[in-house]
Amino acid sequence: MIDTVALAMLGGSLRVSTPFLFVSLGECLTEKAGRINLGNEGVLVLGAMVAYATSYETGNPWAGIAAAAIAGLLLGGLHGAICSLTRVNDVAMGIALMLAGTGTAFFFGKPYVQPSAPLLPGIPLGFWSDSPQLRNALNVCPLFFLGLLAAFVMHWGFRSTRMGLRIRIVGDSQDAALALGLPINRTRLFATAAGSALAGIGGAFLSLYYPGSWNEGLSSGQGLMAVALVVFARWNPINCIYASLLFGAAGALGPSLQTVGVTWGYYLFYAAPYVVTLTVLILTARGGTALRGMPGQLSIGR
Amino acid sequence: MTAIGIEAIDIGKHFGSFHALSGVSMKVAPGSVHGLLGENGAGKSTLVKCLLGYYKADTGSFLVDDREATIERPADADALGLGMVYQHFTLVPSMTVAENLVMSRRDVPAAIDWRAEKAALGEFMRGMPFKVPLDAEVGTLAAGERQKTEIVKQLYLQRRFLVLDEPTSVLTPQEATEMLGLVRDLAHSGQLTIVIITHKLKEVAAFVDEVTVLRRGRFAGAGLVKDLGAADLTAMMIGEPHAPANPERLGEPAAEIRLAVRDLRTAADGGRKGLSIAALDVKAGEIVGIAGVSGNGQKDLVEVLGGQRPIEAGEVLVDGTQYDASRAQSQARHVRVLPEEPLRNGCVPPMTVVDNLNLRAFDTANSRLWLDRSAMAARAASMIAAYGIRAPSPIVPIGVLSGGNVQRCVLAREFDGDVRLLVLANPCFGLDVKAVAETRARIMAARNQGTAVLLISEDLDEILELSDRVAVMHDGEIVHQMPAAGADPQEIGRHMLGHH
C-alpha cells in the first residue's frame, strides 16, 4: 500500500508541479527585476481559458499554449506598463490584475465549459513497465520538460547573458542601474511580460492536461502560492524546480491517499499545499530579518 | 593611457531661482591630484556633475587637453575618458566583482563567454596597482575593498580623468591612507588625473597637489597645497579668517555610572551579526565615543537605546535600573536620542516643523485633554531662533527642509530641557563648518553640566576631539576601550578592522 501511495504521489507530483513550476519561474523572472506581480493568479486562469478555447476552435492544443503565452504576455505587459508610472504600487496593481484576469476569463470562458477540446498528449515514459500504476504515473506532460528547460535557460541567462545581468542589476540596485544608464522601466516591463507569458503557459497546462477541462474552479490559488514558492526557492530558477516538486507532492497527497481508499481526514490532506505554503512563509519570515538572495528593489522588502 | 588635463571656465548653473554656481573656474593639470574643497552646498557636486554631463551648465565652457569639449550627456564624458566614483557606491552588491566590471562596459555581448572574460580580467588585474578578488560578491567586501573595486572599474573603462567624491568617508585611517597613496602614485605616473572632493584638510595636506575652493557657488580661491596652510584653506572655505575654536572641556567625569550596558545581544539582521556587547558604561559628565567602520553595529546600538530594536538578551541600565526605552521611561529618566537619518528615525515627515519640534514633550506640557498650540508654537520659535533653523515657515511639513535643517531641528529638540543621557549618532552630519562648531560646543557644554553623552560617529577626528573615552566597535562587539587623550588613530583603525 505504501508503494501505491508513493507511486501515486510521484505521478501526482510530476503532474501537479508543472503549473507551479511555470508560474514560479515567471514570478522569479519578474521579481529578479525588482517588481512583484501578484496578478499571475489572474494570468494563470486567463491562460487556462484562452488555451482551452483556442484548442477547441483550432483543434490544436499547441496553438492553445501559444495563445495562452500571448495572453499572459499582454496582461503582464499591462502590469509592467502601469507600474512604470510613478507612484503606482505594484502590490495593489497586482491584486487588481488578478481580479481582472479571472473576471475576464470567466466572462469569455462561459461558452467553453461544456464542449471538450483536444488535450495535450502525455509522453509514456513508463512504457517498459507492466504495472499499470507505474505507467500511469510516468505518463508525463511535455510541458513539464519545457518547464525544466526554461528553468535551466533562466539559470544560465541570469549569469551569462547581457539581458540576465541587466535584469539583476535593475532588480538589485536602482542606483547602480541609473549610474550605468540602464533603461529601468523597459527592463522591468520585459521581465514582467515574459514572466506572465510563462504563467500563462502554466494555465494552459491546467486546462489542456491536468485536470484537463475548463471551469471556473480550475485554479486553486497556484498563482498566489507561486509567490511563496519563489521566496522558498531564494529567487533561484533551479531551486524553483525542487520547490515546485515539493508543492506538487504536497498537492498530490490527498488524491493519492484517496486512490488507496483512505477516506479519513480527506479535506485535511487536500490542504497540504496550503499548509506547506504557510510553513514556508513562517519559517522564512522569522525575526524580521532580510532574506538572503532577495532582490534589493522589491517593494515588499524595502 | 595618459592622463588628461581639464579646465572649467566661468561655469554657471542655476536651479529655478537658486544659483548653484556662478562664474566658477578650475584648472586641473594632467597627472595631478587636485582637491575640490568647500562646505556642504558650496557647489562642488554641481560643478563635477556639469563636467560629467549629468547637468548642462548654463554658461561657461570646458577645455579637455586645451581643446574645447561639448559635454551634454554622460555618454559624452564617457567618450572623453572622464569618470567619477560616487560617495555612495554604485556597484551591485549581489553580483561578483567580475560581473560588475563586465556589465559596466558599453559593449557587453548578448551572451557572455565567462571563460574568455575571466582570462581577460585576470590579465587586466595583473597590470593594476591593487588587487581585488574577482569572484567575490561585492556585498561581502569591506568598504575599503569596494572603494578599490570602484577605482579598478574606472581604470577598466579606460578612464583617464577621475573624480572621487568624499572617497574616504567610509574608510578606516589605514584604508584611507593606502587608497589615497595608490591613487596619488597612479596620477604621478602620468596614467590618470584625479580630482578629490573633500573637506578633510589633513588628507589635502598629505595627498593633494593643488586645490580649488568654492564657497556658496562661487570661486573662493586656488593654489598649490605646498604654499597654503590649513588656516588659509579654512578661511577660503568659510569666508572668515579664523576657524571656530575647539570647545573647552571642564572638569572630570563623575564617578556615577549613568548608562550601563551588560551582555547585550540582538538578533542577526540581513546577513549581519547582531550586537554582542559585554559591557559599556557612560558616566555622568562623560563623553564616550564609539568608533567603527559604518555597518559594524553602531546603528543597532542606537536603535536599541532609542527603542527601535528589541534586545534578545542582557540589559540596559540607566541610573542603575532597567531601561526599556519606552516613552514613559525616556521622559522619566531624561534620555534623548539623535538617531541616524533623523528625518526617517526621529521625525514624522508630513507633520509641521512646530509639531516635530514638540514631539518629545507635547504630551507632558500640560494636564489638559487638549494641546496648548500657542505654547507649542512659542517653544518651537525659540528653538528655531537658537539653532538657526532655516524653514520657509514653522508650519511647513518638516519633510521639505534640507537635510542640514532637519538635523538642526532634531538637535534642538533633543538638547532641549533637562537631559541626563544623550545618545548622538553622527550629530554633525550635513552641517556647515560654523554649525558643526556650534553643535560640538553644545555637546561639550552638556557634558560639562553633567550629562552623560554616548557619541557614535563615523568621523574619527570628531570622536577624538570630543570624547573622554573611546570604544571601538567591530562586528557588533566593543573590541577595545581606551582614554581619548593620547589615543593613537592608527591603533584605533586597527581595532576598527578587527585586528587586535
Side-chain angles (χ1 to χ4, degrees):
Chain A
M1 186 180 116
I2 296 291
D3 288 1
T4 329
V5 173
L7 253 180
M9 274 186 71
L10 170 71
S13 162
L14 291 177
R15 268 197 299 274
V16 180
S17 64
T18 309
F20 278 124
L21 181 57
F22 274 99
V23 186
S24 64
L25 286 176
E27 189 66 37
C28 177
L29 180 58
T30 308
E31 290 189 19
K32 273 280 190 194
R35 204 170 264 162
I36 195 161
N37 184 2
L38 296 179
N40 274 343
E41 171 73 12
V43 174
L44 184 85
V45 176
L46 186 69
M49 176 262 148
V50 169
Y52 198 77
T54 311
S55 173
Y56 177 74
E57 301 292 350
T58 64
N60 182 351
W62 293 100
I65 289 169
I70 291 169
L73 195 77
L74 294 176
L75 210 56
L78 179 72
H79 181 68
I82 293 178
C83 289
S84 302
L85 305 173
T86 47
R87 290 204 255 172
V88 172
N89 180 295
D90 54 355
V91 172
M93 181 59 209
I95 292 172
L97 194 76
M98 174 170 86
L99 299 173
T102 43
T104 316
F106 293 169
F107 180 72
F108 290 106
K110 267 276 180 276
Y112 298 100
V113 174
Q114 286 297 333
S116 67
L119 302 183
L120 281 171
I123 303 174
L125 291 181
F127 59 89
W128 46 270
S129 167
D130 298 332
S131 149
Q133 283 107 334
L134 193 60
R135 284 164 78 155
N136 185 31
L138 289 180
N139 200 14
V140 182
C141 178
L143 281 182
F144 178 69
F145 296 104
L146 197 66
L148 291 185
L149 182 70
F152 283 104
V153 167
M154 270 171 66
H155 183 68
W156 172 78
F158 282 142
R159 279 186 318 166
S160 299
T161 63
R162 181 174 55 203
M163 195 61 194
L165 284 161
R166 280 185 172 183
I167 288 174
R168 282 172 57 198
I169 295 173
V170 164
D172 218 56
S173 169
Q174 190 143 339
D175 289 340
L178 285 172
L180 290 172
L182 296 183
I184 295 176
N185 280 331
R186 214 175 341 131
T187 309
R188 288 190 178 149
L189 178 67
F190 165 80
T192 315
S196 286
L198 285 172
I201 298 177
F205 175 92
L206 289 177
S207 62
L208 292 180
Y209 191 79
Y210 180 82
S213 65
W214 161 246
N215 62 66
E216 295 181 359
L218 191 60
S219 157
S220 44
Q222 283 102 325
L224 283 174
M225 269 146 65
V227 177
L229 211 143
V230 175
V231 175
F232 184 53
R234 292 273 184 269
W235 292 270
N236 177 332
I238 301 298
N239 286 349
C240 282
I241 300 175
Y242 303 130
S244 302
L245 286 172
L246 175 71
F247 274 59
L253 185 63
S256 310
L257 287 172
Q258 224 189 344
T259 54
V260 296
V262 176
T263 49
W264 172 86
Y266 178 87
Y267 285 106
L268 210 59
F269 292 119
Y270 267 85
Y274 308 101
V275 174
V276 171
T277 310
L278 267 179
T279 315
V280 164
L281 286 177
I282 290 168
L283 287 182
T284 50
R286 219 173 16 174
T289 56
L291 289 168
R292 217 182 129 54
M294 177 157 146
Q297 294 296 324
L298 273 191
S299 58
I300 49 166
R302 264 182 290 162
Chain B
M1 282 203 301
T2 46
I4 48 182
I6 295 279
E7 195 172 350
I9 303 164
D10 199 26
I11 302 293
K13 174 76 191 166
H14 67 89
F15 301 99
S17 63
F18 171 64
H19 286 265
L21 290 175
S22 10
V24 171
S25 297
M26 172 171 79
K27 189 174 163 94
V28 183
S32 71
V33 181
H34 196 98
L36 182 55
L37 275 63
E39 296 203 65
N40 285 300
K44 296 167 297 187
S45 305
T46 312
L47 178 61
V48 295
K49 278 183 177 161
C50 289
L51 174 59
L52 289 162
Y54 286 95
Y55 297 151
K56 196 176 175 312
D58 300 330
T59 60
S61 54
F62 289 106
L63 302 185
V64 175
D65 273 341
D66 297 325
R67 255 173 303 187
E68 186 149 352
T70 324
I71 305 172
E72 292 185 333
R73 282 182 304 267
D76 298 338
D78 249 20
L80 288 164
L82 315 180
M84 175 154 173
V85 174
Y86 294 88
Q87 205 172 350
H88 302 288
F89 303 126
T90 52
L91 296 167
V92 185
S94 69
M95 302 206 319
T96 65
V97 172
E99 285 175 329
N100 268 292
L101 288 178
V102 169
M103 284 309 288
S104 65
R105 263 182 6 216
R106 295 225 159 249
D107 60 333
V108 190
I112 299 160
D113 177 0
W114 275 114
R115 199 164 335 150
E117 292 290 354
K118 287 265 176 67
L121 281 170
E123 188 57 39
F124 163 76
M125 276 296 183
R126 263 191 288 284
M128 282 295 103
F130 35 87
K131 307 286 172 238
V132 284
L134 283 173
D135 290 318
E137 255 181 47
V138 168
T140 65
L141 297 179
E145 297 263 281
R146 276 194 227 188
Q147 186 91 36
K148 282 187 208 161
T149 309
E150 289 277 4
I151 293 169
V152 165
K153 184 174 107 181
Q154 298 296 329
L155 296 172
Y156 179 69
L157 296 173
Q158 314 236 311
R159 299 280 158 78
R160 296 175 298 149
F161 177 91
L162 203 52
V163 181
L164 307 178
D165 186 7
E166 303 274 0
T168 59
S169 59
V170 293
L171 305 185
T172 66
Q174 281 93 340
E175 285 177 322
T177 308
E178 187 199 357
M179 197 273 295
L180 290 173
L182 290 168
V183 161
R184 182 187 51 190
D185 294 346
L186 274 176
H188 289 178
S189 70
Q191 294 183 54
L192 196 62
T193 308
I194 303 276
V195 169
I196 296 182
I197 299 179
T198 184
H199 60 260
K200 295 189 182 169
L201 297 181
K202 279 185 194 161
E203 287 171 3
V204 172
F207 296 101
V208 172
D209 303 320
E210 221 175 317
V211 291
T212 299
V213 185
L214 303 185
R215 186 170 71 240
R216 290 192 202 122
R218 291 173 184 281
F219 176 83
L224 292 171
V225 170
K226 63 176 168 32
D227 303 334
L228 295 165
D232 301 318
L233 293 174
T234 311
M236 283 186 208
M237 275 164 69
I238 65 174
E240 286 170 25
H242 299 294
N246 288 346
E248 200 180 353
R249 186 186 306 274
L250 298 171
E252 290 299 308
E256 174 207 340
I257 292 175
R258 182 122 337 139
L259 170 71
V261 174
R262 293 286 174 269
D263 300 314
L264 174 70
R265 280 198 288 118
T266 60
D269 189 357
R272 283 185 300 113
K273 281 205 309 190
L275 290 174
S276 175
I277 297 177
L280 177 68
D281 290 342
V282 186
K283 295 178 186 145
E286 182 184 43
I287 301 178
V288 173
I290 304 276
V293 177
S294 81
N296 271 282
Q298 298 95 320
K299 187 165 172 245
D300 303 40
L301 179 59
V302 177
E303 285 174 352
V304 165
L305 296 172
Q308 287 180 299
R309 181 174 286 274
I311 62 180
E312 214 166 49
E315 48 189 8
V316 176
L317 308 170
V318 175
D319 291 329
T321 50
Q322 197 89 28
Y323 178 72
D324 64 6
S326 65
R327 184 170 180 86
Q329 284 205 358
S330 76
Q331 282 174 342
R333 316 272 184 89
H334 303 280
V335 176
R336 298 293 177 82
V337 178
L338 171 79
E340 274 186 35
E341 295 183 68
L343 183 64
R344 204 165 70 102
N345 290 313
C347 294
V348 188
M351 281 170 57
T352 65
V353 175
V354 169
D355 291 344
N356 273 288
L357 285 171
N358 281 283
L359 281 185
R360 279 284 176 197
F362 72 94
D363 51 350
T364 53
N366 65 56
S367 52
R368 291 184 309 218
L369 279 175
W370 55 92
L371 301 175
D372 185 350
R373 299 288 325 183
S374 61
M376 282 170 69
R379 183 204 288 262
S382 74
M383 291 189 201
I384 288 171
Y387 284 78
I389 296 164
R390 282 193 291 265
S393 138
I395 54 164
V396 294
I398 198 166
V400 306
L401 301 191
S402 70
N405 277 310
V406 172
Q407 184 88 359
R408 283 192 182 88
C409 285
V410 179
L411 279 169
R413 186 182 76 205
E414 301 301 304
F415 273 88
D416 181 54
D418 177 20
V419 183
R420 291 173 54 77
L421 171 62
L422 191 55
V423 179
L424 302 167
N426 296 314
C428 299
F429 190 81
L431 302 181
D432 57 37
V433 172
K434 229 166 144 185
V436 166
E438 276 170 26
T439 305
R440 289 184 181 164
R442 283 199 172 96
I443 296 170
M444 193 56 83
R447 173 217 176 262
N448 292 343
Q449 284 162 20
T451 302
V453 181
L454 185 65
L455 171 70
I456 292 115
S457 176
E458 283 172 20
D459 182 350
L460 191 52
D461 293 333
E462 174 172 81
I463 287 179
L464 290 174
E465 183 192 319
L466 291 175
S467 308
D468 295 288
R469 223 147 37 79
V470 180
V472 184
M473 250 185 135
H474 173 73
D475 225 5
E477 293 174 39
I478 299 286
V479 290
H480 193 69
Q481 299 196 39
M482 70 198 98
D488 173 16
Q490 295 293 322
E491 190 195 341
I492 294 177
R494 269 198 302 283
H495 289 293
M496 282 162 76
L497 284 174
H499 308 314
H500 314 305

